[in-house]
Amino acid sequence: MQSLVRPNAWVALRLQSGQHKIIQIIPNTIISLAKYGTFSSNLIVSRPYNLTYELLDRESGAKDSDLRIVPASELHADTIAEEEASAGTETTIGGDGVEFQLVGENGEVVMRSNRETIDDSARQTLTMEEIEELKLEGTDAGKDLIAKLMLSHTGLDQKTSFSLAKYKLLKTKKYLRQFTVLPVDVPLLTQWMLEEKDSSKILDMREEMLALIGSWSNVHHAPSPADLPGPVGGRWLVVDETGGLLVAAMAERMGILHADVDRENSELLDYAEFEGPSYHDRRSDHGLATSNTITMIHTNAQPNLNLLSYFNYEPNAPSSASCHNHPLATQLLPLSWLQLLSPSSDTTYSTVPRDYTPEELATMKSGKRGTYHRKVRRYTRIRHIVDSTRAGGFDGLAVASSMDPVSVLRHTIPLLRGGASIAVFSPTIEPLTQLSDLYSTSRRTAFIQRPPKEIEDWSLDELTKWQGNDDFPLIPTLVLGSSLQTARVRSWQVLPGRTHPIMTSKGGAEGYLWTATRVIPAEGKVSARGKYSKRRTENAPKGDKSEGIQKQLDNGDLE
């Protein structure tokens, strides 16, 4: 992630109200902040993130406002003043700090209560018409209006320190024309989708659940090819129905979410510039990476990855677009369920483009020749993605989908290597409890002791392709260590006598996560069970154990 605001980058403007406005910083354009005003986008280009700006009063004849960087001393002036005022003094806290009036030994009031405080609107002497006139004047970025509101309040001296701070904060959020420029990352985008957009589009998935999915599916960052001599990274399989949010979270962990703007005019992932055969192995002949990749299975003709546009990646953009220099252009490999389960039924995979000779291509018009080359590239890309996916060997599986997880795991578990991590997210717990039952110890024991008759003599490769039956919808011996969990991080207000969760926090589904590990079952059948007894029969000669073994077989100790 970059430290400076680059042209055409997506940024989040955090307003004083606490809301975020995500916009693209296109040079030479005007950015509107509704009631706050407008300013030129060039004023924040090439400036650091996390700076707070203030919209200055618009000069006569000017269409837009200028910006002023608010220093940190001004942003934290109230906190600094409070600490300086309390320096060298002792703070008396008693009761719950709210319900009772605390008086010192000398009769001085230490802390007041809000019991006698009446409605703030009745104590405010400024009328709504006067407040609207002050808002239209808009002097000193709204600070004059806040000062007049504070001075016009007749009950200000009766407020507690906490109530006074809350009142000032409320007016500051409403009238102060300041904003902070933040970089768009996965946590911020998740919070924005949950609180200000449609949370159902991301399955009500929260930041902590995204972190758990990445951890339990063992998604990790791969170093640069120039740093290590051997193969780096891994291959992960993803089923994402959150608009690309899960893919973005995994790509951020793998270090391939943000483009390298210092090399934006070159081919970012041309690993041939690194010396050594191990670096060339990281890229196939089709221009696609072979490690540190995300293979996404989707249900539609095109994958729904609209949230990746906030990271300057458009999967369906034309080939001339600059986003094809993005790392995800070669390391995100999408394919449909149809291409995975029945490739011959997909026309893009099964239809081989006609092979023209160089002489025939030379006689074509430029438009027709370009169309032909695009078809060949698309066919080659699809063939490579489908064939490599069906070959399996993935290092992990992450699922966030409204589909039945049983149907998803039936076709994706055989594609994982031994020891691969699995993480399945669901907004509700019922589908995941069914998974826990299908991979339970009792069901696995029943499958080992009394396997279905049609698969008794099957090899391991044939067993992994079995579609299951009514008793065993999934093969329970392919997965171990299944568990079901949930987690939710809540914000708390911590004050004397007033410690409780923030009651206005976002609700929605709790969200549950099922995790497990892919294993390779041992081939063959274990025929010996129970404790082996070493005692000999009375009449059996020394060294002859045949009668002892026969007795154990009769007793059922051995089979």
Side-chain angles (χ1 to χ4, degrees):
M1 185 178 297
Q2 300 301 315
S3 59
L4 301 179
V5 179
R6 301 288 183 177
N8 300 315
W10 288 86
V11 302
L13 305 183
R14 185 179 62 198
L15 309 180
Q16 285 294 318
S17 60
Q19 294 182 336
H20 293 84
K21 184 180 180 67
I22 297 183
I23 58 174
Q24 188 176 19
I25 305 301
I26 302 176
N28 305 317
T29 58
I30 301 300
I31 298 176
S32 174
L33 297 181
K35 64 179 182 179
Y36 286 2
T38 58
F39 64 94
S40 174
S41 61
N42 296 338
L43 296 177
I44 62 175
V45 172
S46 298
R47 285 190 171 182
Y49 285 102
N50 301 298
L51 289 180
T52 299
Y53 298 89
E54 182 179 271
L55 276 77
L56 301 177
D57 299 335
R58 192 166 18 183
E59 299 179 356
S60 59
K63 294 183 179 180
D64 308 305
S65 302
D66 288 333
L67 298 180
R68 179 181 74 91
I69 298 178
V70 183
S73 59
E74 183 177 338
L75 288 174
H76 305 286
D78 293 341
T79 304
I80 296 174
E82 182 180 352
E83 291 179 352
E84 291 178 350
S86 61
T89 62
E90 295 182 0
T91 303
T92 304
I93 299 176
D96 58 3
V98 177
E99 293 295 330
F100 302 96
Q101 180 179 2
L102 305 180
V103 182
E105 295 180 357
N106 56 357
E108 179 183 0
V109 176
V110 179
M111 183 177 294
R112 290 184 297 269
S113 70
N114 288 332
R115 184 176 298 176
E116 298 179 357
T117 304
I118 60 176
D119 187 16
D120 289 338
S121 60
R123 297 294 187 98
Q124 181 57 252
T125 58
L126 286 179
T127 63
M128 290 301 301
E129 291 76 11
E130 293 173 337
I131 294 176
E132 290 297 328
E133 290 180 3
L134 292 174
K135 287 171 60 178
L136 292 176
E137 293 178 3
T139 57
D140 202 11
K143 285 181 283 188
D144 287 348
L145 174 57
I146 297 173
K148 290 181 180 180
L149 286 172
M150 300 282 288
L151 293 174
S152 302
H153 198 287
T154 59
L156 205 65
D157 57 338
Q158 300 180 13
K159 287 181 175 292
T160 64
S161 58
F162 176 72
S163 178
L164 178 61
K166 189 167 65 172
Y167 179 79
K168 184 179 180 181
L169 180 62
L170 180 64
K171 301 306 176 184
T172 300
K173 288 183 177 181
K174 190 173 182 180
Y175 298 114
L176 195 62
R177 300 199 306 267
Q178 292 181 356
F179 64 91
T180 305
V181 180
L182 302 174
V184 177
D185 54 10
V186 174
L188 188 145
L189 186 63
T190 305
Q191 179 185 359
W192 181 64
M193 289 294 298
L194 280 174
E195 299 181 356
E196 303 181 35
K197 293 295 181 179
D198 189 2
S199 60
S200 62
K201 292 185 177 179
I202 60 171
L203 302 181
D204 293 303
M205 188 183 297
R206 298 180 302 277
E207 178 186 352
E208 57 269 22
M209 196 57 67
L210 272 175
L212 283 175
I213 294 176
S215 298
W216 282 103
S217 56
N218 195 27
V219 181
H220 54 271
H221 176 70
S224 171
D227 297 336
L228 295 176
V232 294
R235 299 169 62 229
W236 279 269
L237 195 61
V238 181
V239 181
D240 182 9
E241 292 186 6
T242 62
L245 182 64
L246 178 58
V247 171
M250 297 178 65
E252 189 174 50
R253 281 175 165 264
M254 298 166 64
I256 57 175
L257 181 60
H258 304 282
D260 187 358
V261 297
D262 296 331
R263 300 174 57 198
E264 60 183 356
N265 296 325
S266 63
E267 189 177 2
L268 292 179
L269 296 175
D270 189 3
Y271 297 112
E273 65 177 303
F274 302 107
E275 297 180 358
S278 60
Y279 304 142
H280 295 277
D281 294 341
R282 298 190 70 239
R283 186 171 178 177
S284 65
D285 296 335
H286 313 296
L288 299 176
T290 57
S291 65
N292 205 34
T293 60
I294 300 175
T295 301
M296 175 185 173
I297 310 176
H298 56 88
T299 57
N300 304 317
Q302 296 293 337
N304 180 14
L305 298 170
N306 59 312
L307 292 182
L308 291 182
S309 61
Y310 295 110
F311 304 99
N312 293 329
Y313 176 68
E314 295 285 349
N316 300 323
S319 58
S320 59
S322 60
C323 69
H324 281 259
N325 285 333
H326 197 282
L328 290 177
T330 58
Q331 293 178 278
L332 176 59
L333 314 177
L335 76 160
S336 65
W337 283 104
L338 177 64
Q339 293 169 342
L340 175 66
L341 302 181
S342 181
S344 58
S345 302
D346 182 70
T347 55
T348 307
Y349 179 90
S350 58
T351 304
V352 182
R354 179 181 172 184
D355 189 12
Y356 289 99
T357 62
E359 293 77 13
E360 292 175 330
L361 288 175
T363 59
M364 290 182 181
K365 294 182 179 180
S366 59
K368 188 176 181 181
R369 185 167 58 249
T371 302
Y372 168 75
H373 286 302
R374 282 194 297 272
K375 287 183 178 179
V376 172
R377 286 195 299 268
R378 182 176 60 181
Y379 170 79
T380 306
R381 177 186 176 91
I382 291 298
R383 294 282 296 195
H384 171 71
I385 294 175
V386 174
D387 293 343
S388 61
T389 303
R390 289 171 62 87
F394 289 93
D395 298 284
L397 170 65
V399 179
S401 172
S402 57
M403 298 173 59
D404 182 12
V406 175
S407 63
V408 173
L409 296 187
R410 179 179 292 123
H411 303 289
T412 54
I413 290 293
L415 301 178
L416 305 178
R417 64 166 178 81
S421 303
I422 308 168
V424 181
F425 170 81
S426 175
T428 56
I429 194 174
E430 287 78 11
L432 301 185
T433 55
Q434 183 184 7
L435 274 184
S436 298
D437 174 66
L438 295 179
Y439 286 115
S440 62
T441 303
S442 58
R443 194 175 291 264
R444 187 184 310 111
T445 303
F447 184 85
I448 295 174
Q449 293 181 352
R450 293 180 298 275
K453 294 182 179 180
E454 63 268 23
I455 64 171
E456 286 183 351
D457 300 327
W458 284 14
S459 63
L460 181 59
D461 293 337
E462 295 174 332
L463 180 63
T464 55
K465 299 177 183 178
W466 185 52
Q467 297 300 310
N469 55 19
D470 294 338
D471 295 329
F472 301 101
L474 296 173
I475 305 174
T477 57
L478 298 182
V479 165
L480 284 180
S482 65
S483 64
L484 186 58
Q485 60 181 297
T486 184
R488 183 160 189 169
V489 178
R490 298 181 184 272
S491 300
W492 285 70
Q493 172 186 289
V494 181
L495 289 170
R498 286 163 285 180
T499 299
H500 58 77
I502 301 298
M503 307 307 293
T504 57
S505 60
K506 181 68 177 178
E510 282 292 318
Y512 298 88
L513 186 65
W514 181 86
T515 60
T517 303
R518 167 77 157 96
V519 294
I520 305 297
E523 295 194 49
K525 182 180 179 182
V526 179
S527 58
R529 293 193 304 272
K531 239 182 205 186
Y532 176 74
S533 177
K534 295 184 178 180
R535 69 179 184 273
R536 293 175 298 168
T537 59
E538 296 180 359
N539 299 326
K542 188 176 180 179
D544 186 3
K545 301 180 181 179
S546 59
E547 294 185 11
I549 294 176
Q550 183 63 40
K551 186 175 181 180
Q552 293 183 47
L553 290 174
D554 296 338
N555 294 334
D557 295 333
L558 292 179
E559 290 185 358

